[in-house]
Amino acid sequence: MSILPIRTINALRRKGPPSAAFTTDPVLRQKAKKVTRIDASLQKLIDDMIETMQAAPGVGLAAPQVGVSLRVCVIGMPGEEPFALINPAVVRKSGLRKVWEGCLSIPGLQALVPRSEKVTVKALNREGREVRIKAENDLLAQALEHEIDHLNGVLYIDYVEDMEEIVEARQEEEEEEEREEVGAGL
């Protein structure tokens, strides 16, 4: 196994719509190709993606993020065994919530974005068997939508209207700590 380089984008300016404010690696903006064969090379890609995701560290990684235009992603929730999804698709979603989101391809930045409360995804596992994953109001639901967005050429910044809504990851953590301190003082 080996750690793969993660494709990243860079902010050009801090005002205006994010779509015009970032330079983007073209593979991150393309709809990834459907996997037609599960073979040893795909298994190696999955292993390398898991190792890369864990080293980053992150909770999800899509193949386009490592420069491979295939509909494959890996997800690893804290304290759980990571897993791969091949040709995943959201088959049902409902509700809406706003969550802070970051991305390994947009390092150091976060924004508050809309995500579904409930998500059901259909995919193949790494053995080629069909699986359905249901998640509700948790990090898994968010990661499923985020990684499938990557496979469709969509980044979380596409849900943001103005660059001023994107903050440094540290800044968001400090604002959360301030809110907790103010709340604790009441």
Side-chain angles (χ1 to χ4, degrees):
M1 293 195 310
S2 60
I3 296 173
L4 304 171
I6 296 174
R7 303 287 177 103
T8 60
I9 65 174
N10 300 306
L12 296 173
R13 60 178 186 267
R14 297 293 296 169
K15 298 229 184 259
S19 59
F22 284 94
T23 59
T24 306
D25 187 315
V27 74
L28 292 173
R29 290 306 199 170
Q30 298 166 354
K31 185 170 182 175
K33 297 177 180 92
K34 184 176 182 178
V35 173
T36 57
R37 195 175 63 206
I38 299 174
D39 58 13
S41 66
L42 186 66
Q43 298 296 337
K44 181 176 179 351
L45 173 64
I46 290 169
D47 290 338
D48 290 348
M49 287 174 61
I50 289 171
E51 186 173 357
T52 301
M53 173 189 68
Q54 292 172 329
V59 297
L61 187 68
Q65 290 180 273
V66 293
V68 179
S69 186
L70 287 176
R71 295 189 72 76
V72 177
C73 65
V74 296
I75 294 177
M77 294 291 101
E80 296 182 19
E81 197 65 30
F83 59 91
L85 297 174
I86 300 167
N87 299 329
V90 174
V91 293
R92 181 174 294 139
K93 62 183 178 176
S94 63
L96 188 64
R97 62 191 175 124
K98 288 274 208 166
V99 292
W100 283 103
E101 195 158 296
C103 180
L104 297 175
S105 291
I106 310 171
L109 300 176
Q110 289 183 317
L112 200 56
V113 297
R115 290 292 179 194
S116 302
E117 291 176 350
K118 295 180 183 181
V119 179
T120 302
V121 169
K122 180 175 83 170
L124 299 177
N125 65 15
R126 70 183 301 163
E127 290 80 34
R129 288 190 290 275
E130 187 174 300
V131 295
R132 280 188 183 262
I133 299 173
K134 294 181 180 183
E136 183 175 347
N137 280 327
D138 60 8
L139 183 59
L140 178 57
Q142 183 178 352
L144 288 166
E145 285 190 304
H146 180 100
E147 299 312 326
I148 292 171
D149 274 353
H150 272 298
L151 301 179
N152 293 321
V154 176
L155 301 172
Y156 82 89
I157 59 171
D158 296 332
Y159 297 106
V160 177
E161 292 182 20
D162 191 275
M163 279 297 294
E164 292 178 355
E165 296 175 46
I166 300 173
V167 298
E168 291 183 27
R170 187 87 183 128
Q171 179 182 341
E172 186 272 324
E173 290 171 8
E174 289 169 3
E175 288 173 2
E176 182 66 31
E177 287 173 10
E178 286 175 18
R179 284 192 294 271
E180 287 174 5
E181 288 173 10
V182 169
L186 295 178

